[in-house]
Amino acid sequence: MIDATTIVIFGASGDLTRRKLIPALFKQWRKQRLPAPLRIVGFAFSDWDTATFRSEMDSGIKEFVEEDFRQASYDDFCDMLHFVQGGFTESDDYARLEAAISELENDTTNRLYYLATPPRFFLPIVEQMHAQGMVQESDVAWRRVIIEKPFGNDLASAQALNTSLHKLLDEQQIYRIDHYLAKETVQNIMVFRFANAIFEPLWNRNYIDHVQISAVESVDVGHRAGYYDQAGVLRDMFQNHLMQLLSLVAMEPPASFEANSVRDEKAKVLKAVRPISPEALASHTIRGQYAGYRDAPDVADGSETPTYAALELYIDNWRWRGVPFYLRSGKALQQKATEIIIQFRGTPHNMFPIPADYSIRRNVLALCIQPHEAIHLRFETKVPDTDIDMRSVEMNFEYDLAFGKDSTPEAYERLLLEALDGDPTLFTRADSIEQAWRIIDPIIQGWQTAFAPPLDEYVTGSWGPASSDLMLSQAGRHWRYACAEH
Ligand code: BG6
């Protein structure tokens, strides 16, 4: 890329900048994929100067970038870093920020603003920038704003934020982040579905019994309890990441890979998801909390915040009518595993004289997102040297084996590149965010009423509350751990 660019990071002294953003930019700089000349300006309230910023980021790179990327000196990279101290709501500080940036660039320099701040500052920052003329584009220089999550706290606040932002920015200037969309394995869902002819004809209610989408984690809430106790698992993982996975698995084939084509289909399928009615909450939702959560610092006494949830959702359209989508996510579980399971229907008729204690197992397709990136297809085979004994085996594709170890870059690397490149496909459009809230909001609200299922405690290191298993077993199904097992 050859285009003078300045990246301005709001919240530059925070964890995200040091752990993710700067290491991601550094790696892409090493791969010579960043625009040049480039300046990275940090803005935050912390009492830092450029020297502090450079040394903090230097230590971040040492901690979070693999050795072989660092070998030679990277003073040139650190020379691109600058820091301006200021408050997110202080207009004088924005005037200083603008002056400092202008000194580093000329009229044709593009700008990417990254809002790595608590959500309450998203709008004030854009308002201040707008007032200083910092988001005004010209024929030769663009201005883009990346907004972190959570985007809104419910449907009303997300709508209000979108409305306010649209008064200050064009939708095409806004890049709402969902880092799941930039995971290689998540992007591959579209390639798998739409660059292969053999799966899509089966991808519907005629052949698929149900779909499972799991994003389970072994970590507990750790030092984020203050935020998490307000948010809970539905806001933290479902409204964004799980809804995005659901839309990629269930959407209709877009006509092209152009951003709006893809985003139209994603919004459309979310729109078809049936909201769970208050009466259905007890049978279609599970809420859990791990034992010991309430003792964590910053968690309110007697907190009812769920750290685990499972949902049974339905998509009311021609393709998916009647097919359950089971979604689950939780903290402090046995392992980290993000996976999508497509459970196919059984054969219509059994012609084999199989033993009474054996039943033909159904085909399962597992898309393993992380940590073991892979795709597995389970099918039945005849055991050699038997009359007609059968066994299930798997066809396995492992990313590491096919493309080499560590072939998958961190999500933030891809997202920053795409935003610099002006491609919003991997960012969430206003309508998708609102559709996702439309699905999640009634559950969050319903859980405050007498319709709520009980808050089930589960043991740390388990697979979550027993009620979650029960929800599936009552329908003759069970949660699969296809990727965790490998
Ligand atoms: C974040 C959530 O968005 O995603 C965290 O706020 C969660 O609670 C994280 O741990 C999981 O991301 P990943 O990439 O580790 O699966």
Side-chain angles (χ1 to χ4, degrees):
M1 283 191 207
I2 306 167
D3 264 327
T5 304
T6 307
I7 300 176
V8 185
I9 304 176
F10 291 86
S13 56
D15 215 34
L16 185 71
T17 307
R18 188 173 169 279
R19 292 173 70 93
K20 299 283 186 191
L21 303 183
I22 293 292
L25 286 167
F26 175 74
K27 281 174 141 180
Q28 291 300 332
W29 176 74
R30 267 274 189 261
K31 294 181 191 170
Q32 301 189 332
R33 289 184 182 159
L34 294 187
L38 176 72
R39 298 273 172 267
I40 301 170
V41 179
F43 182 74
F45 193 60
S46 301
D47 191 14
W48 285 9
D49 58 13
T50 292
T52 338
F53 186 44
R54 287 182 182 172
S55 83
E56 287 286 333
M57 297 308 116
D58 178 78
S59 81
I61 291 171
K62 287 197 178 108
E63 195 174 339
F64 298 110
V65 176
E66 308 80 327
E67 186 82 47
D68 48 345
F69 264 102
R70 289 193 270 117
Q71 286 154 6
S73 145
Y74 49 89
D75 293 347
D76 289 354
F77 180 81
C78 288
D79 286 349
M80 302 190 309
L81 305 180
H82 302 265
F83 188 80
V84 176
Q85 193 271 340
F88 297 136
T89 53
E90 304 300 318
S91 50
D92 292 351
D93 294 346
Y94 282 80
R96 284 195 302 107
L97 175 64
E98 172 59 23
I101 301 173
S102 306
E103 245 179 59
L104 299 168
E105 58 182 27
N106 59 39
D107 291 347
T108 59
T109 307
N110 301 311
R111 284 194 204 166
L112 179 64
Y113 300 108
Y114 198 117
L115 274 44
T117 67
R120 69 179 185 283
F121 293 120
F122 294 163
L123 187 57
I125 291 174
V126 178
E127 282 171 342
Q128 294 284 353
M129 289 202 294
H130 186 265
Q132 294 288 338
M134 295 169 74
V135 290
Q136 180 67 45
E137 301 197 278
S138 73
D139 290 346
V140 286
W142 49 255
R143 303 283 181 259
R144 296 179 190 140
V145 184
I146 299 185
I147 301 183
E148 262 295 332
K149 61 160 238 188
F151 194 94
N153 194 42
D154 53 18
L155 177 59
S157 57
Q159 280 171 330
L161 184 55
N162 276 328
T163 307
S164 303
L165 287 173
H166 286 152
K167 289 184 184 142
L168 307 166
L169 299 168
D170 277 348
E171 174 65 23
Q172 48 93 10
Q173 289 180 280
I174 308 173
Y175 289 70
R176 299 173 194 77
I177 277 220
D178 187 315
H179 77 280
Y180 267 55
L181 292 179
K183 291 179 188 287
E184 292 285 339
T185 36
V186 173
Q187 291 174 51
N188 193 43
I189 296 171
M190 260 194 284
V191 175
F192 183 81
R193 286 189 59 194
F194 306 133
N196 294 293
I198 61 172
F199 303 109
E200 204 48 28
L202 308 180
W203 213 263
N204 57 52
R205 64 192 302 278
N206 298 323
Y207 298 96
I208 292 179
D209 175 72
H210 73 276
V211 176
Q212 299 180 10
I213 304 180
S214 301
V216 295
E217 297 185 275
S218 51
V219 292
D220 61 19
V221 294
H223 66 277
R224 296 168 73 229
Y227 144 77
Y228 194 91
D229 202 40
Q230 300 296 316
V233 68
L234 289 178
R235 290 192 181 92
D236 187 54
M237 292 294 290
F238 282 73
Q239 186 276 334
N240 40 53
H241 309 323
L242 292 193
M243 286 298 135
Q244 290 301 321
L245 294 179
L246 172 75
S247 61
L248 287 169
V249 172
M251 72 181 183
E252 294 301 314
S256 80
F257 195 49
E258 182 269 326
N260 272 335
S261 225
V262 174
R263 293 156 119 205
D264 286 348
E265 294 306 336
K266 286 172 60 185
K268 215 163 80 186
V269 74
L270 288 179
K271 207 168 168 188
V273 174
R274 188 191 313 160
I276 299 181
S277 67
E279 295 73 24
L281 283 173
S283 53
H284 288 54
T285 70
I286 301 294
R287 54 181 191 135
Q289 188 186 71
Y290 63 82
Y293 170 75
R294 291 177 185 174
D295 304 331
D298 297 330
V299 169
D301 287 345
S303 168
E304 294 259 305
T305 299
T307 60
Y308 177 100
L311 308 179
E312 179 176 339
L313 291 174
Y314 290 87
I315 301 176
D316 287 335
N317 65 14
W318 196 276
R319 184 191 286 259
W320 293 118
R321 178 79 199 182
V323 177
F325 281 72
Y326 297 106
L327 276 53
R328 67 175 163 163
S329 179
K331 298 264 187 220
L333 298 170
Q334 200 175 104
Q335 342 184 335
K336 178 164 180 95
T338 309
E339 56 188 61
I340 297 170
I341 304 287
I342 313 291
Q343 164 81 65
F344 290 92
R345 288 181 185 278
T347 51
H349 164 68
N350 171 34
M351 57 174 266
F352 300 104
I354 47 176
D357 60 350
Y358 191 86
S359 57
I360 296 181
R361 294 169 81 197
R362 298 164 180 208
N363 300 113
V364 175
L365 176 70
L367 306 175
C368 306
I369 312 284
Q370 58 182 9
H372 305 297
E373 291 109 345
I375 297 178
H376 308 292
L377 178 64
R378 187 179 83 179
F379 58 93
E380 295 288 276
T381 47
K382 176 178 177 296
V383 177
D385 203 20
T386 63
D387 186 12
I388 193 70
D389 286 4
M390 289 182 205
R391 207 172 79 197
S392 299
V393 294
E394 284 195 342
M395 262 194 304
N396 296 324
F397 155 70
E398 313 260 347
Y399 277 75
D400 276 3
L401 291 178
F403 299 113
K405 236 183 149 14
D406 301 325
S407 52
T408 46
E410 272 267 342
Y412 280 92
E413 294 179 50
R414 168 84 11 223
L415 287 171
L416 284 159
L417 278 190
E418 299 289 319
L420 286 166
D421 205 24
D423 185 345
T425 315
L426 299 183
F427 295 83
T428 317
R429 207 169 56 185
D431 53 351
S432 268
I433 293 245
E434 291 178 13
Q435 284 304 334
W437 278 120
R438 186 191 58 86
I439 299 162
I440 297 302
D441 245 13
I443 306 170
I444 295 177
Q445 280 162 18
W447 281 1
Q448 312 291 328
T449 69
F451 289 110
L455 179 67
D456 292 326
E457 190 180 81
Y458 60 96
V459 179
T460 314
S462 69
W463 281 114
S467 50
S468 181
D469 297 327
L470 199 61
M471 179 168 84
L472 270 71
S473 63
Q474 278 167 347
R477 302 179 174 114
H478 61 272
W479 288 112
R480 295 197 169 279
Y481 300 93
C483 306
E485 281 161 14
H486 285 79

